[in-house]
């Protein structure tokens, strides 16, 4: 995995802003009443995030450290204003339903967080990919939330009737409590899958170590440790090749105490 | 030395009452209410009750099996939750309302937080509120009893005439279990007799509520108005059977009083100033959420350590 795809993987899965870092909870909970709203919000944030990462990465050597937060906010706010006007002009319906949450992207902690933690320290290309990864991770999580809530709370997905005619919508799903229920379920599911994968990886590594261990153990000579006296060197498997030679010599020089510490720390087979 | 010295950690004195005995005792105490409800609303109420009980028990069983936990369905707590939930539903609700409510009560309110003893609010009431928010029209569509399908509280709020004698006996509209005050009080006496509950929480709750109604109700001490509010809606069922739930009520003596006052004030607020006629379920689950805080500030001081000296 090269560093660019690593950035994408990091944003989408490993440090997903919604399910792992729990950033930007306000738009996550408030705007995901339908699939379109969720994805719309996610894409707005994605655009602002990528552009702000690029601009801040370009300016990272110019912005003085003391005023970096106000500087970041000015950059982000300008970009959000552009996005807001574009939304109002080209997607008036979506802009209407997202309402105040579009201008509130300015204070979305994912954007300021990535500016502070990543873009202000890394090159333009990497920062852009970081923004794409994080933004896509956010968009996908919001899309899933919006889709599930719309499906159960309204019986539709993206406005199309999915549930059979007799289905009575569970309207709590499109209300505020439903956002918490679905988000909790999503986080639990992602955490479960991640921990299963982690466990499998660890088991695999442990199994590999087990098969390799005997070979390693054979190759390593049996070394006597700090307790050995200089005269033991001849009988030892390492025959002085393990650093005990030093031990023997220094012992002869009368520095036994000092050296024995060295042996304890460095001479033992791991 | 002989081997008769048995060393174990506390508690050393054990009561013969077990969790399941308590649960079944409460279920028995609910029987008069249940039987009256079925008599009052007809056999369709039986379907609602059975659907919620079966759903609760099955959900608990499946969850505990799936999570490789000990299966504790036999302790009766899930069946009790199901029964309480069913008693809080209107008799003409479709069967899937009971099923959905049961799944929500056991899965979301109880098991996800750690099962019996760990739930942060009363599962039956949590599920009722979930259903009430989700399916408002179904949950407030009560069958017609006598001449009116409006609940006595709704009629009272609308300024219509009400018959307090019918309300006392239970020949009114409402959820399956809430109509008959007499049947609920028989159950409450059973619970008090066997010392399953003590009178502090329901007593303080009802007393505070009466005071609140008298001050803010706009009718002063009009006995008809106060009786109607006491007998109407879920106050009695909630006060005796749900506010007293061990898991979600405070254990400290002072805390129980505060909890009762909170319940009374909230119920009064919802009924007098709220837009809907009833507020007992919301009052109880909101108070449930406050229980850890109440317990934290009313913890009795240990005997011995100086005031402020002991820090645990």
């Amino acid at each position: 995995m090269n560093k660019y795809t690593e950035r994408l993987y990091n944003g989408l899965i490993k440090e997903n802003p919604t399910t792992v870092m729990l950033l930007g909870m306000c738009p996550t909970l408030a705007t995901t009443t339908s699939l379109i709203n969720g994805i719309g919000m996610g894409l707005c944030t994605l655009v602002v995030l990528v552009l702000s990462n690029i601009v801040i990465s370009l300016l990272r050597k110019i912005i003085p450290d003391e005023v970096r937060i106000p500087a970041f906010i000015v950059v982000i706010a300008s970009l959000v204003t552009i996005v807001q006007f574009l939304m109002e002009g080209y997607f008036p319906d979506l802009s209407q339903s997202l309402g105040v949450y579009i201008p509130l992207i300015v204070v979305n902690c994912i954007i300021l967080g990535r500016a502070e933690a990543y873009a202000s320290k890394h090159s333009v290309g990497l920062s852009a990919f970081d923004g794409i990864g994080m933004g896509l991770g956010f968009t996908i999580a919001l899309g899933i939330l919006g889709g599930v809530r719309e499906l159960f709370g309204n019986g539709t997905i993206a406005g199309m009737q999915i549930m059979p005619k007799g289905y009575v919508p569970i309207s709590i799903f499109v209300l505020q409590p439903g956002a918490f229920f679905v988000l909790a379920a999503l986080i639990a599911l992602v955490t479960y899958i991640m921990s299963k994968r982690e466990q499998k990886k660890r088991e695999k590594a442990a199994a590999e170590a087990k098969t390799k261990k005997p070979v390693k153990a054979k190759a390593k000579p049996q070394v006597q440790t700090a307790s050995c006296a200089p005269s033991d060197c001849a009988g030892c498997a390492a025959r002085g090749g393990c650093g005990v030679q030093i031990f023997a010599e220094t012992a002869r020089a009368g520095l036994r105490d000092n050296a024995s510490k060295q042996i304890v720390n460095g001479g033992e087979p791991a | 030395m002989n081997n008769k010295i048995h060393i174990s950690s506390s508690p050393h004195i054990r009561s013969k009452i077990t969790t399941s005995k308590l649960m079944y005792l409460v279920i028995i105490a609910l029987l008069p209410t249940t039987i009256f409800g079925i008599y009052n609303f007809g056999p369709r109420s039986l379907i609602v009750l059975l659907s919620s009980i079966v759903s609760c028990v099955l959900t608990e069983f499946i969850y505990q099996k799936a999570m490789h936990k000990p299966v504790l369905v036999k302790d009766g707590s899930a069946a009790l939750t199901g029964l309480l939930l069913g008693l809080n539903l209107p008799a003409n609700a479709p069967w899937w309302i009971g099923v959905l409510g049961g799944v929500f009560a056991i899965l979301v309110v109880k098991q996800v937080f750690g099962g019996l003893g760990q739930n942060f609010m009363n599962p039956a009431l949590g599920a009722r509120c979930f259903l009430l928010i989700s399916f408002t029209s179904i949950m407030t569509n009560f069958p017609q009893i006598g001449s009116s399908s409006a609940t006595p509280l709704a009629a009272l709020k609308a300024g219509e005439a009400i018959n307090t004698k019918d309300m006392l006996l239970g020949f009114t509209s409402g959820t399956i279990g809430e109509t008959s005050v007499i049947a609920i009080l028989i159950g409450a006496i059973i619970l008090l007799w066997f010392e399953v509950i003590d009178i502090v929480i329901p007593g303080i709750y009802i007393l505070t509520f009466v005071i609140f109604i008298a001050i803010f109700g706009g009718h002063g001490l009009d006995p008809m108005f106060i009786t109607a509010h006491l007998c109407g809606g879920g106050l009695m069922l909630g006060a005796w059977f749900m506010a007293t739930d061990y898991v979600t009520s405070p254990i400290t003596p002072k805390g129980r009083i505060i909890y009762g006052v909170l319940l009374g004030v909230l119920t009064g607020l919802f009924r007098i100033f709220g837009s809907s006629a009833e507020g007992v379920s919301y009052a109880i689950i909101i108070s449930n959420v406050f229980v850890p805080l109440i317990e934290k500030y009313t913890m009795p001081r240990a005997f011995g350590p100086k005031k402020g000296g002991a820090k645990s």
Side-chain angles (χ1 to χ4, degrees), chain A residues 168-172 175 177 181, chain B residues 96 100 104 108 130 133-135:
Chain A
V168 184
I170 310 173
S171 45
I172 202 168
L175 299 172
F181 292 148
Chain B
W96 53 264
L100 202 61
F104 185 86
V108 177
F130 162 74
I133 295 169
S134 297
F135 311 102

